[in-house]
């Protein structure tokens, strides 16, 4: 074989080796991500009651994978702020996410009552001229006044969500003297109207926290937050509450029960 052909052949073998190595790394990264998803579920459901995860070798055995894959999965969870590595102790749970159901219409205090006390820091409250999209959603004339409320909501003292709320002024005026710091707006609306709330249209998406939201929520700038847009109606169908809620994604998890219909 001519020398130039041997060089080409050797180079080709090298390229194959590099490609195989990259493929193995991608495969391990895929497996690590899959394992992180399974372990995250355990973390969120208190599957590790002691607060300490099993040893890496035991996790590798239980999940039929390698210790390198386990380490990569734990690194992913560490980057999310869910676990940490303590010398002489192992991998421990350092944060938890609180469950927020999507299959019932409830205020935050009602939703999380089993997990502690929800308090509200009312940052802004007062009448404003409704922006066009707000007026449209609330079925109000263009430029109509609405009550605008901005609240930082805490669970056991920890910042959990930043809520921006718009309410038609004929209902909102009665809220000006209400205890907005300790009471869900849902309960106040039902008390004011004497009618139950009926249903809500919701949209949920992940967005990056702007500088203001990050500062208020005490989260890193640019951190992912869960944005819940919710338009709530009375039982008779009237829209009465338009909210834009930014949840700290590292402290809340959304869940619901869905039924398949024919």
């Amino acid at each position: 074989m001519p020398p130039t052909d041997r060089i080409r052949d050797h180079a080709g073998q090298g390229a194959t080796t590099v490609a195989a190595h990259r493929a193995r790394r991608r495969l391990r990264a895929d497996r690590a991500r899959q394992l992180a998803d399974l372990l995250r579920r355990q973390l969120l459901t208190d599957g590790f009651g002691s607060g300490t995860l099993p040893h890496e070798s035991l996790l590798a055995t239980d999940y039929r994978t390698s210790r390198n894959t386990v380490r990569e999965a734990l690194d992913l969870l560490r980057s999310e702020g869910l676990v940490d590595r303590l010398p002489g102790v192992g991998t421990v749970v350092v944060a938890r996410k609180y469950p927020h159901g999507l299959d019932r219409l409830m205020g935050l205090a009602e939703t999380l009552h089993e997990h502690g006390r929800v308090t509200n820091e009312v940052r802004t409250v007062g009448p404003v001229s409704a922006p066009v999209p707000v007026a449209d959603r609330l079925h109000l004339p263009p430029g109509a006044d609405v009550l605008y409320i901005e609240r930082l909501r805490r669970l056991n003292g920890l910042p959990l969500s930043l809520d921006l709320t718009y309410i038609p002024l004929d209902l909102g005026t009665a809220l000006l003297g209400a205890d907005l710091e300790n009471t869900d707006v849902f309960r106040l609306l039902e008390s004011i109207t004497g009618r139950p709330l009926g249903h809500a249209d919701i949209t949920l998406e992940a967005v990056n926290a702007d500088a203001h939201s990050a500062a208020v929520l005490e989260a890193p700038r640019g951190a992912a937050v869960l944005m819940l847009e919710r338009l709530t109606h009375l039982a008779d169908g009237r829209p009465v509450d338009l909210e834009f809620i930014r949840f700290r994604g590292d402290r809340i998890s959304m869940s619901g029960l869905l039924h398949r219909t024919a």
Side-chain angles (χ1 to χ4, degrees), residues 124-132 134-135 138 140-150 164-170 172-173 176 242:
T124 303
V125 58
V128 299
S129 179
V132 173
V134 172
L138 291 174
L140 298 173
D145 284 344
V146 294
L147 182 70
Y148 172 72
I149 308 171
E150 179 177 311
L164 314 183
T165 305
Y166 300 89
I167 297 172
L169 197 58
D170 64 311
T173 300
L176 290 173
L242 176 60

Side-chain angles (χ1 to χ4, degrees), residues 109-132:
E110 294 174 315
T111 300
L112 300 178
H113 73 278
E114 295 180 355
H115 303 283
R117 182 167 179 257
V118 173
T119 57
N120 310 311
E121 176 188 327
V122 181
R123 298 174 54 82
T124 303
V125 58
V128 299
S129 179
V132 173

